[in-house]
Amino acid sequence: MFPLQRGRRLRTNESIRSLVRETSLSPSDFMFPMFIAEGENVKVEIPSMPGIFRRSIDLTVEEVKELFELGIRAVNIYVKVSENLKDNTGKEAWNPNGLMQNTIRAIKAACPEMIVMPDVALDPYSIYGHDGIITNGDVENDSTNDALVKMAVSHAEAGADFVAPSDMMDGRVLRLRQGLDAAGFHNVGIMSYSAKYASAFYGPFRDALDSAPRESDVVVPKDKKTYQMDYANRIEAIKEALWDVEEGADMVMVKPGIAYLDIVREVKNAVNVPVTVYHVSGEYAMIKAAAERGWLDNDQIMMEQLMCIKRAGASLISTYFAKEAAILLNKK
């Protein structure tokens, strides 16, 4: 009679496996990160991210319409601004006619139901490639928060549904919530990058936006480790997420994804708001590179990783695979 319990009975065929499957994916689980460039009819592939492009606003709008038809309901947008617009204040970030603001307006005009979550951080606008204002050789926390509030309010004025602070300044969620409310944007949400680690997985993203820390004739931090988290730490991630919820975050994010699924589960267990996971550029690039060499099956690895992120506790997955995965899911 041994054994009485046989787990394989529930794995006999795909029909049975589908009946007892604990986790599922749908296109509405995904958010697509998009890179925006100046100009018209511009579509430039990012060399380290095959299949991902910097697009001008007109082509971005067309892509957003396709994403919505596939069932994707959110986009996270980032801009590559001209060098002549960069300085140490980040003032271009709250230009009402800036690239980000014009992109938000264009997307919402063309596809009003698409949820738009613009990035809130100064690194695309900084001559030093940092997420904040450099003062006395370091990123100055509180003056950066003041700048981020101006940036977020300008996004809300342009029509953003959520703002997505990725800077990791202390107290910025509270300042953003206060600033948005004071400007009358009580219904604009905050998706906070709460546990954003100082990770080497971000390399291709920084290539896409030219947002890596730069050498300079003034003293600046050589990396982002004074504000992004130490990847050796777990309890700190829970603390950061709880602080952000207390300060008014509507969603919290863990970034990167696959290498940090223990953190995803810890944060999910600790907070009572949706948890977003950013499946980042380096994770995407590794799969693409291995698939190009025939070492891995792109589609199988893609779907396995996305399912594992969802299983770990993600309510929403920001991923460069969003369109590919949605197409596959819609074929089933």
Side-chain angles (χ1 to χ4, degrees), residues 72-126:
I72 295 167
R73 294 294 179 258
V75 291
N76 193 199
I77 55 177
Y78 305 85
V79 295
K80 188 178 189 305
V81 300
S82 302
E83 286 297 315
N84 65 310
L85 297 175
K86 297 181 179 183
D87 61 13
N88 188 36
T89 70
K91 63 180 183 297
E92 178 62 20
W94 54 90
N95 177 357
N97 293 308
L99 181 58
M100 178 68 87
Q101 290 77 6
N102 288 336
T103 302
I104 296 168
R105 280 190 285 268
I107 292 173
K108 295 302 291 185
C111 192
E113 293 182 62
M114 180 64 85
I115 302 301
V116 178
M117 300 192 189
D119 180 54
V120 176
L122 297 185
D123 50 333
Y125 305 90
S126 169

Side-chain angles (χ1 to χ4, degrees), residues 6 21 42 86 101 115 196 213 273 279 308:
R6 293 181 181 266
R21 189 162 290 140
V42 174
K86 297 181 179 183
Q101 290 77 6
I115 302 301
K196 181 179 180 180
V273 299
H279 192 216
C308 290

Side-chain angles (χ1 to χ4, degrees), residues 279-299:
H279 192 216
V280 298
S281 60
E283 295 171 309
Y284 174 89
M286 288 193 300
I287 293 174
K288 287 299 182 183
E292 284 178 1
R293 288 160 176 79
W295 297 343
L296 294 174
D297 183 293
N298 178 87
D299 292 353

Side-chain angles (χ1 to χ4, degrees), residues 123-137:
D123 50 333
Y125 305 90
S126 169
I127 55 173
Y128 303 121
H130 274 286
D131 290 45
I133 296 168
I134 300 295
T135 304
N136 297 324

Side-chain angles (χ1 to χ4, degrees), residues 4-43:
L4 295 178
Q5 293 295 335
R6 293 181 181 266
R8 291 182 60 186
R9 294 184 191 124
L10 300 181
R11 304 174 201 141
T12 303
N13 55 51
E14 177 55 26
S15 293
I16 292 176
R17 292 191 295 271
S18 68
L19 288 176
V20 298
R21 189 162 290 140
E22 299 173 26
T23 308
S24 62
L25 282 172
S26 75
S28 62
D29 291 323
F30 306 137
M31 175 163 61
F32 191 47
M34 305 188 76
F35 300 117
I36 318 301
E38 297 279 6
E40 293 184 7
N41 198 34
V42 174
K43 184 179 179 182

Side-chain angles (χ1 to χ4, degrees), residues 30-298:
F30 306 137
M31 175 163 61
F32 191 47
M34 305 188 76
F35 300 117
I36 318 301
E38 297 279 6
E40 293 184 7
N41 198 34
V42 174
K43 184 179 179 182
V44 179
E45 188 171 34
I46 298 160
S48 54
M49 299 177 70
I52 302 298
F53 300 85
R54 286 192 294 266
R55 292 178 171 86
S56 51
I57 293 176
D58 53 332
L59 298 187
T60 296
V61 166
E62 295 306 310
E63 181 74 353
V64 166
K65 291 178 181 177
E66 289 186 31
L67 296 170
F68 195 82
E69 287 297 315
L70 289 169
I72 295 167
R73 294 294 179 258
V75 291
N76 193 199
I77 55 177
Y78 305 85
V79 295
K80 188 178 189 305
V81 300
S82 302
E83 286 297 315
N84 65 310
L85 297 175
K86 297 181 179 183
D87 61 13
N88 188 36
T89 70
K91 63 180 183 297
E92 178 62 20
W94 54 90
N95 177 357
N97 293 308
L99 181 58
M100 178 68 87
Q101 290 77 6
N102 288 336
T103 302
I104 296 168
R105 280 190 285 268
I107 292 173
K108 295 302 291 185
C111 192
E113 293 182 62
M114 180 64 85
I115 302 301
V116 178
M117 300 192 189
D119 180 54
V120 176
L122 297 185
D123 50 333
Y125 305 90
S126 169
I127 55 173
Y128 303 121
H130 274 286
D131 290 45
I133 296 168
I134 300 295
T135 304
N136 297 324
D138 195 13
V139 176
E140 209 288 311
N141 195 91
D142 295 359
S143 62
T144 296
N145 281 343
D146 293 339
L148 296 176
V149 171
K150 296 175 187 177
M151 186 179 183
V153 170
S154 77
H155 293 174
E157 290 171 343
D161 300 283
F162 283 75
V163 295
S166 63
D167 56 286
M168 288 298 288
M169 296 299 112
D170 292 334
R172 91 275 205 211
V173 172
L174 178 60
R175 292 289 175 261
L176 291 175
R177 186 70 270 159
Q178 291 171 333
L180 289 167
D181 288 355
F185 295 108
H186 304 91
N187 291 327
V188 172
I190 298 174
M191 181 191 69
S192 176
Y193 290 56
S194 297
K196 181 179 180 180
Y197 285 85
S199 171
F201 283 106
Y202 306 151
F205 176 94
R206 291 174 181 169
D207 290 343
L209 293 185
D210 191 23
S211 61
R214 305 177 178 189
E215 293 185 4
S216 172
D217 55 357
V218 301
V219 176
V220 298
K222 66 178 182 179
D223 53 38
K224 302 190 178 187
K225 293 181 179 178
T226 65
Y227 45 101
Q228 294 179 1
M229 286 179 48
D230 184 342
Y231 58 70
N233 292 356
R234 177 182 61 85
I235 295 172
E236 184 182 10
I238 302 169
K239 179 176 67 176
E240 289 280 355
L242 289 171
W243 281 348
D244 284 358
V245 172
E246 289 171 1
E247 292 180 12
D250 301 283
M251 301 183 193
V252 297
M253 177 185 278
V254 175
K255 180 181 179 182
I258 284 295
Y260 293 77
L261 294 187
D262 60 321
I263 306 302
V264 176
R265 174 44 56 184
E266 293 275 12
V267 169
K268 179 70 172 179
N269 289 343
V271 302
N272 58 1
V273 299
V275 176
T276 303
V277 175
Y278 202 145
H279 192 216
V280 298
S281 60
E283 295 171 309
Y284 174 89
M286 288 193 300
I287 293 174
K288 287 299 182 183
E292 284 178 1
R293 288 160 176 79
W295 297 343
L296 294 174
D297 183 293
N298 178 87

